[in-house]
Amino acid sequence: MERERQKTLIEAILFLNEDPVRLEKLADILELPREETREIVAELQHDLAAASRGIRIFEVAGGYQLGTPPELAGDLERAIGEEGGGSISNAALETLAIIAYKQPVTRAEIESIRGVKCEHVLENLLKRRLIRISGRKEGPGRPLMYSTTPDFLKYFGLKELKELPPLEE
Amino acid sequence: MSYTVRLPVFEGPFDLLFHLVKKAEVDIWEISIAEITGQYLAYLQSMKELNLDIASEFLVMAATLLRLKSKLLLPRQPRPAEDEEEIFDINSPEELFNRLEEYRRFKEAARFLREKELEQQKIFLRSTGGRKLMLMGRQQTFYTFWEGPYVLGEIMRRFAETAAAAAITPVIGGIEDFPVAEKMAFIYDLLERSGKVLPLKAFWNEKGGLWELIAVFIAVLELARQRKIALYQDRPFGQILLSINSTREKEQKHGA
């Protein structure tokens, strides 16, 4: 398959998917080694930006996904009547930060760091699928443990958890 | 004439304490307990005057601070370890500083997340309105079924959606190909004749595929419910072992 056709195919696959598509998956479909596939995606990424196209390729939650250029945000919000999508409350953000760094973590551990009860915050985060119940801690009461989800990475535009900066000392 | 007083909103006692330390412009480790306690109480007082609801955690922290302060004023006295449970469990200024420091680090992390959120809110990611596609490459894709309730819930939701859209043949038709009653008889018969404990997979013909596995599993559950067989498992997700329920046989003999 020639290069241009490979790029077109990747663009089409990303267009069809609303979830991030993993590099391995694309390599598998193109029947190419990963490194080469990564180069082709990078080229396509560059092409789209250079041609000022309305779609761009973003690396989120361990894969590639199509999205709109950030500089269009204002115009798009007006066009589709969506306001900056309700932000998360400070309480929820603090809780998420603790879960992201200490996962899997129990409610008691989170509450001990924040100094406040977190039951409702956790419920809301579960509903928004930013966190999930990832197991139970061995010990008295076997409390539930919480971890972040792929949606968490998508929401914050993170490729992977490793992208979080190390906690300050 | 009325005044509008704006008080900053704090996420919790640590948040308020952290704010006070910052306002005092000193390092967390240098703050005096007496001073911070005074400011903390003054803040609670102003909240009270404004008829604001004060969450109980704020009051517990006030008590914790006062105890710390009094401990520092009074000559030290060895005290037996307390059994009572305390939310904060802070017994020395060092512990308080450590906890504040830990809280501060996560507050920083939360600020990083807020920045990323704002950045990401400028990008609208491709959405197909909930329709999900399965990409098939050269290698077969398998779902990891037991990744946790989060994933399982998602699989069931998608399954229900597909079924509701009548995009696939009704589930019942599939199950009828493997009558559960037949499987039950087969399993019980085999267990009885062998007189041994057998693993679940001994009853499942791999060529039968998913429906076969479902039918066998339902049959096993039904036999267990009727207390005809006993099920064992040495650990979660471990191998499932089956045997004839001997206690039930005994019961029946006694009854006869």
Side-chain angles (χ1 to χ4, degrees), chain A residues 19-20 22 60-62 88 96 99-101 103-104 122 124-134 145-161 164, chain B residues 113 147-151 154:
Chain A
D19 281 326
R22 304 189 77 85
V60 283
I88 308 189
L96 264 180
I99 297 174
Y101 280 94
Q103 59 185 314
L122 286 174
N124 283 329
L125 289 174
L126 278 171
K127 261 190 225 151
R128 289 187 75 156
R129 292 166 186 247
L130 294 172
I131 59 167
R132 66 190 175 97
I133 293 166
S134 53
M145 294 195 294
Y146 299 90
S147 296
T148 56
T149 62
D151 278 4
F152 164 82
L153 295 174
K154 259 172 98 167
Y155 185 83
F156 292 102
L158 298 165
K159 281 178 223 169
E160 47 184 358
L161 283 171
L164 292 170
Chain B
L113 287 180
E147 223 177 284
Y150 168 75
V151 176
E154 176 67 17

Side-chain angles (χ1 to χ4, degrees), chain A residues 15-16 18 25 28 58 65-68 84-85 88 90-91 93-94 112 117 129 155-157 168, chain B residues 11 57 99 103 105 108 110 112-114 117 120-121 123-124 126 128 132-133 135 137-138 141 154:
Chain A
F15 171 76
L16 283 174
E18 74 164 358
K25 199 86 232 180
D28 189 25
F58 296 95
Q65 191 172 3
L66 288 184
T68 58
I88 308 189
N90 283 330
L93 213 57
E94 269 181 35
S112 147
K117 295 252 172 281
R129 292 166 186 247
Y155 185 83
F156 292 102
E168 261 184 68
Chain B
E11 292 305 333
E57 290 98 352
R99 295 282 293 273
Y103 175 75
R105 282 164 42 206
E108 282 297 316
F112 168 80
L113 287 180
R114 180 68 84 201
E117 181 193 40
Q120 192 58 27
Q121 274 176 352
I123 296 165
F124 294 87
R126 167 95 178 112
T128 52
K132 308 237 162 142
L133 294 165
L135 278 180
R138 278 174 305 165
T141 320
E154 176 67 17

Side-chain angles (χ1 to χ4, degrees), chain A residues 21-49:
Chain A
V21 182
R22 304 189 77 85
L23 178 68
E24 297 85 75
K25 199 86 232 180
L26 290 175
D28 189 25
I29 291 165
L30 293 178
E31 307 195 3
L32 287 176
R34 279 189 212 175
E35 266 323 299
E36 206 175 333
T37 310
R38 194 198 303 277
E39 279 167 31
I40 299 175
V41 175
E43 233 174 80
L44 178 60
Q45 242 167 346
H46 177 263
D47 290 355
L48 290 172

